[in-house]
C-alpha cells in the first residue's frame, strides 16, 4: 500500500537546524582482528532502517510543492461577507462555543506566544545532537524527522482541503468585517500549528526513548513532557480565536501519531527483514512512501 507525504517549507527549513547543530560522524564497520592488532570498538547497530538517499531527497523535492499547497489552501478557505453574516454562534457545539468569546484585544499577544512555542517545538529535536550516540546518526535522524513531518502534512492537507470550518474569530461581531473575510478564514479544521508542534516534540521523545531503551514510568514522563509545548501552542491558538477546542485536540492527536508512528515503522523495518520501506515517484508527479510486506 502507498502513502503520499507532502512536506512543509517552513518545517523543513527549521528542521535543517538538525544538520547545522550536528557534528557528522560515521560508525566503523567490523574488521578481522589478528593477534598483533588491538581489538577495534564494535560498530554501533542502527536503530532505524532508512532509504536515506531516496527519503531525504524525496522530502526535499516536496518542499517546493508544499508551498503551492499551502497557498492553494488559503484560496480555498476564502469567505465572503455574506457567508460571514450567515454565521450563527448557536450552531457551534457547547464544547467549542466558548472560544468565540475571546477578547480581540489579546489576539496579537496570544498569536505571538503561539508562534514562540511552535518554533521552539519544531527546533526541539536539535537537543538530540547533545547525545554522542545519536549525533553519529544525525543524517538518518534528519531524514526521519523530515519524513515524519511529511506524513503529518499529508494528513493535515487531506483534512484542511476537505472540511470547511469558519475560524472562531469570524463569529465575533466586534471585529471589523474586512478582517473576517478573504483568504484563510474557513480552514479552522484542524490546527496545523498544533499538529506541526506535536510531530516535532513527540518525535524527540520517541527517538530518545528508542535509542536508550527507556521504558516504564520514565518513558511515560518523557512523552507527557512532549505534550506540553504543543498544548501551549493550542492554548494560545484558542486565545487568539484561530481554532476551536476540537481543532486543537485533533491536531495534537494527528501530530503526536506522526511523530511516533513514522520512527516506529522504520524501527520495525530494522527488526524484521520481511518489511521494507522505500519512496516512489510516478511519471505523473505523484510520490510517496511504499511499505512492502513479504509473506
Amino acid at each position: 500500500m502507498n502513502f503520499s507525504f507532502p512536506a512543509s517549507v517552513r518545517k523543513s527549513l527549521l528542521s535543517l537546524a538538525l544538520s547545522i547543530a550536528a557534528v557528522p560522524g560515521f560508525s566503523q564497520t567490523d574488521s578481522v582482528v589478528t593477534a598483533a592488532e588491538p581489538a577495534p570498538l564494535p560498530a554501533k547497530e542502527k536503530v532505524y532502517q532508512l532509504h536515506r538517499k531516496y527519503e531525504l531527497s524525496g522530502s526535499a523535492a516536496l518542499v517546493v510543492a508544499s508551498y503551492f499547497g499551502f497557498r492553494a489552501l488559503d484560496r480555498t478557505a476564502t469567505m465572503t461577507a455574506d457567508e460571514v453574516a450567515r454565521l450563527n454562534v448557536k450552531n457551534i457545539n457547547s464544547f467549542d462555543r466558548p472560544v468565540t468569546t475571546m477578547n480581540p484585544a489579546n489576539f496579537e499577544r496570544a498569536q505571538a506566544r503561539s508562534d514562540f512555542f511552535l518554533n521552539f517545538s519544531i527546533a526541539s529535536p536539535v537537543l538530540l545532537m547533545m547525545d554522542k550516540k545519536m549525533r553519529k546518526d544525525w543524517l538518518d535522524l534528519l531524514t526521519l524527522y523530515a519524513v515524519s513531518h511529511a506524513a503529518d502534512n499529508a494528513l493535515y492537507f487531506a483534512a484542511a482541503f476537505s472540511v470547511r470550518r469558519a475560524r472562531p474569530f469570524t463569529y465575533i461581531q466586534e471585529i471589523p468585517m474586512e478582517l473576517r473575510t478573504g483568504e484563510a478564514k474557513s480552514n479552522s479544521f484542524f490546527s496545523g500549528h498544533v499538529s506541526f508542534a506535536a510531530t516535532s516534540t513527540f518525535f524527540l521523545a520517541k527517538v530518545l526513548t528508542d535509542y536508550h531503551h527507556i521504558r516504564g514510568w520514565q518513558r511515560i514522563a518523557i512523552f507527557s513532557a512532549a505534550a506540553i509545548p504543543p498544548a501551549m501552542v493550542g492554548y494560545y491558538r484558542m486565545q487568539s480565536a484561530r481554532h476551536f477546542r476540537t481543532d486543537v485536540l485533533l491536531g495534537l492527536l494527528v501530530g503526536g501519531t506522526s511523530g511516533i508512528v513514522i520512527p516506529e515503522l522504520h524501527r520495525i523495518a530494522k527488526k524484521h527483514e520481511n518489511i521494507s520501506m522505500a519512496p516512489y515517484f510516478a511519471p505523473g508527479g505523484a510520490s510517496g512512501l511504499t511499505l512492502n510486506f513479504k509473506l
Side-chain angles (χ1 to χ4, degrees):
M1 49 185 170
N2 298 327
F3 302 91
S4 179
F5 300 151
S8 160
V9 174
R10 179 181 184 184
K11 296 189 299 175
S12 298
L13 290 175
L14 287 172
S15 68
L16 289 177
L18 281 169
S19 59
I20 295 173
V23 178
F26 302 90
S27 300
Q28 295 180 341
T29 57
D30 294 331
S31 59
V32 178
V33 180
T34 64
E37 296 177 344
L41 293 175
K44 297 294 183 180
E45 188 173 340
K46 297 287 187 180
V47 176
Y48 306 111
Q49 175 180 299
L50 297 98
H51 294 80
R52 189 172 65 197
K53 176 181 178 181
Y54 302 103
E55 292 185 66
L56 183 57
S57 60
S59 297
L62 291 171
V63 167
V64 176
S66 68
Y67 169 79
F68 295 102
F70 280 104
R71 290 298 302 132
L73 177 59
D74 286 345
R75 293 190 295 269
T76 301
T78 298
M79 290 190 70
T80 66
D82 288 340
E83 290 172 328
V84 172
R86 290 196 296 268
L87 294 175
N88 188 343
V89 71
K90 294 181 180 180
N91 294 330
I92 303 173
N93 66 78
S94 59
F95 180 69
D96 283 329
R97 195 177 304 157
V99 182
T100 62
T101 64
M102 298 298 175
N103 184 358
N106 298 327
F107 284 2
E108 185 175 352
R109 181 175 59 181
Q111 184 67 30
R113 291 179 177 178
S114 173
D115 290 342
F116 168 79
F117 283 106
L118 172 64
N119 293 331
F120 170 81
S121 299
I122 292 176
S124 64
V126 171
L127 296 174
L128 295 173
M129 297 301 100
M130 297 176 64
D131 187 294
K132 292 182 179 179
K133 183 178 181 181
M134 287 180 274
R135 190 183 306 155
K136 292 181 179 181
D137 295 334
W138 71 275
L139 191 54
D140 282 352
L141 295 180
L142 175 62
T143 301
L144 195 58
Y145 185 55
V147 174
S148 297
H149 273 293
D152 176 66
N153 265 11
L155 295 172
Y156 172 70
F157 278 127
F161 273 106
S162 302
V163 180
R164 297 273 62 79
R165 189 182 198 187
R167 293 187 182 273
F169 69 83
T170 60
Y171 290 85
I172 301 176
Q173 300 295 325
E174 292 81 2
I175 298 177
M177 180 61 76
E178 58 267 24
L179 298 180
R180 292 187 283 158
T181 57
E183 295 185 355
K185 299 301 187 297
S186 65
N187 55 338
S188 181
F189 184 86
F190 54 88
S191 176
H193 282 63
V194 174
S195 183
F196 304 157
T199 298
S200 304
T201 57
F202 279 91
F203 174 88
L204 168 63
K206 171 64 175 170
V207 171
L208 178 64
T209 54
D210 280 351
Y211 265 80
H212 292 283
H213 308 288
I214 299 173
R215 298 293 182 267
W217 287 106
Q218 284 185 314
R219 188 181 183 92
I220 293 174
I222 291 173
F223 277 95
S224 297
I228 295 176
M232 295 304 297
V233 173
Y235 173 77
Y236 286 113
R237 291 295 283 176
M238 291 187 293
Q239 289 292 309
S240 61
R242 292 303 191 274
H243 289 288
F244 293 101
R245 291 173 177 175
T246 48
D247 300 329
V248 168
L249 291 174
L250 184 58
L252 184 63
L253 176 63
V254 171
T257 300
S258 300
I260 294 172
V261 170
I262 296 303
E264 179 64 13
L265 288 174
H266 286 77
R267 188 183 70 85
I268 291 174
K270 176 67 178 68
K271 292 177 63 177
H272 303 283
E273 294 182 356
N274 61 324
I275 301 175
S276 62
M277 304 176 66
Y280 71 90
F281 301 92
S287 59
L289 189 66
T290 301
L291 302 179
N292 297 314
F293 301 88
K294 297 180 181 179
L295 300 178

